[in-house]
């Protein structure tokens, strides 16, 4: 019997992406259709051109349905970090006698945590376990089947802005989509790129997009904390355009040529073929310095996020970099790592031919949708 397909929508900070996919053999995803639409994006948790958002999503669905001819009745939508919030709760239950822990015991703890949350213009996306503790003070990641009389759980509660959900619900209703399920994009990304063994200790996942950067603290099956700020790869492009006095689209092409590991002399240049077809020489060191300046600002802000939001001193926690904002710049990861003073690994999907850091969030949504479907 063929696996059913899922449809996911990624709300990026500069583009909207939609994928229809199904499970393939050997852990791969069969992509049945994909569409991308550029739009104004968002900044500081608000859409920049709210009035044009519906047109962008409608265009996205027109593209996807022109390839995938079947009706789309349900979609999974990723909620970006800028529209999200993470809080935590510690819950405990004591049984009448020592017995194996059941799934229903864990569900009760999660429900208790949900009931305590004050939903001030927010909605609960998910409640996820960070760590469980049994009555002998033994910490475990999965307590089901283990005998205990007391069960405690540190739980992560991920919230989404109600305005974000209601805005998109209205648009999807107009498009005839009957069911919309909202999931946390940073959590989906982390669950895909990090092995369960890695998540036994806290990991930091940094996703640098076009106009937004998120910093997620991941432990167990949840996020122990999450923060974001409105700065990313588009700011690097703008800096290049301003510093080199070139058009923004020319700066995009120049950024593809940048190699930050190169140290040139006064006569070393990047040769840029402009949109008008003219060849322009840009000083190598000058262009590199413009890129490094913005990378330094992003790194400084990331370090401040880690300092403010980490629950403990985290000098040795593994750090993973996702998103296209830095990963597509040659030498960008290494320079960024030096700026934040930490070793950095790319966070890539463990999927053949799709193991690219810029695909982590989108494929994380696909992975979650397929698991829940």
């Amino acid at each position: 019997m063929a696996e059913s397909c899922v449809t996911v929508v990624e709300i990026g900070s500069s583009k909207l992406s939609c994928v229809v996919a199904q499970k393939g053999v050997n852990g791969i995803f069969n992509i049945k259709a994909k569409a991308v639409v550029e739009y104004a994006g968002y900044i500081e948790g608000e859409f920049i051109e709210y009035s044009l958002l519906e047109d962008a999503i409608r265009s996205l669905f027109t593209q996807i349905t022109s390839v995938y001819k079947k009706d789309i009745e349900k979609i999974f939508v990723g909620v970006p970090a800028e529209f999200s919030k993470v809080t935590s709760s510690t819950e405990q239950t004591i049984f009448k006698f020592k017995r194996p822990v059941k799934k229903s015991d864990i569900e009760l703890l999660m429900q208790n945590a949900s009931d305590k949350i004050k939903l001030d213009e927010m909605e609960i996306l998910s409640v996820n376990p960070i760590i469980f503790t049994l009555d002998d003070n033994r910490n475990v990641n999965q307590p089901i089947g283990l005998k205990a009389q007391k069960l405690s759980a540190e739980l992560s509660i991920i919230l989404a802005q109600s305005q974000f959900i209601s805005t998109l619900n209205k648009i999807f209703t107009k498009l005839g989509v009957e069911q919309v399920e909202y999931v946390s994009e940073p959590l989906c990304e982390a669950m895909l790129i990090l092995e369960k063994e890695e998540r036994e200790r806290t990991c930091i996942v940094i996703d640098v997009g076009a106009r937004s950067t998120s910093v997620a603290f991941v432990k167990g099956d949840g996020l122990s904390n999450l923060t974001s700020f409105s700065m990313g790869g588009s700011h690097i492009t703008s800096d290049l355009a301003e510093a080199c006095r070139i058009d923004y689209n020319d700066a995009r092409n120049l950024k593809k040529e940048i190699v930050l590991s190169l140290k040139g002399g006064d006569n070393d240049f990047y040769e840029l073929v402009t949109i008008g077809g003219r060849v322009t020489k840009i000083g190598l060191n000058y262009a590199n310095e413009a890129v490094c300046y913005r990378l330094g600002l992003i790194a400084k802000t990331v370090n401040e996020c880690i300092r403010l939001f980490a629950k403990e001193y985290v000098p040795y926690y593994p750090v993973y970099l996702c998103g296209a904002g830095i990963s597509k710049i040659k030498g960008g990861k290494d320079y960024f790592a030096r700026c934040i003073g930490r070793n950095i690994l790319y966070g890539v999907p463990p999927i053949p031919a799709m193991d690219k850091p810029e695909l982590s969030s989108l494929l994380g949504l696909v992975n979650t949708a397929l698991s829940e479907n």
Side-chain angles (χ1 to χ4, degrees), residues 206 260 295-296 298-300 302-303 306 319-321 326 331-346:
I206 303 167
L260 293 183
L295 285 177
I298 295 173
K300 182 179 178 181
V302 165
N303 265 341
I306 293 174
V319 180
Y320 294 85
L321 177 65
I326 292 177
K333 176 179 75 74
D334 294 336
Y335 183 82
F336 186 68
R338 291 199 297 273
C339 288
I340 69 170
R342 297 167 180 268
N343 292 325
I344 293 179
L345 299 171
Y346 279 129

Side-chain angles (χ1 to χ4, degrees), residues 12 91 113 115 132 164 206-207 250 305 343 351:
E91 301 297 326
D115 293 342
F132 294 96
F164 174 90
I206 303 167
D207 189 304
D250 288 331
C305 291
N343 292 325
I351 301 166

Side-chain angles (χ1 to χ4, degrees), residues 20-35:
V20 179
Q22 68 178 174
K23 282 183 180 178
V25 296
N26 299 323
I28 68 170
F29 296 156
N30 290 332
I31 306 298
K32 297 295 184 180
K34 182 177 181 181

Side-chain angles (χ1 to χ4, degrees), residues 259-266 268 270 284-285 288-289 292 335 338:
V259 182
L260 293 183
S261 59
L262 294 179
K263 300 297 180 184
D266 293 338
D268 291 310
Y270 292 111
L284 185 147
N285 289 341
N288 282 10
E289 285 171 10
C292 289
Y335 183 82
R338 291 199 297 273

Side-chain angles (χ1 to χ4, degrees), residues 75-87:
I75 60 171
F76 291 81
V77 178
V79 181
E82 287 208 20
F83 298 91
S84 307
K85 176 183 175 183
V86 168
T87 186

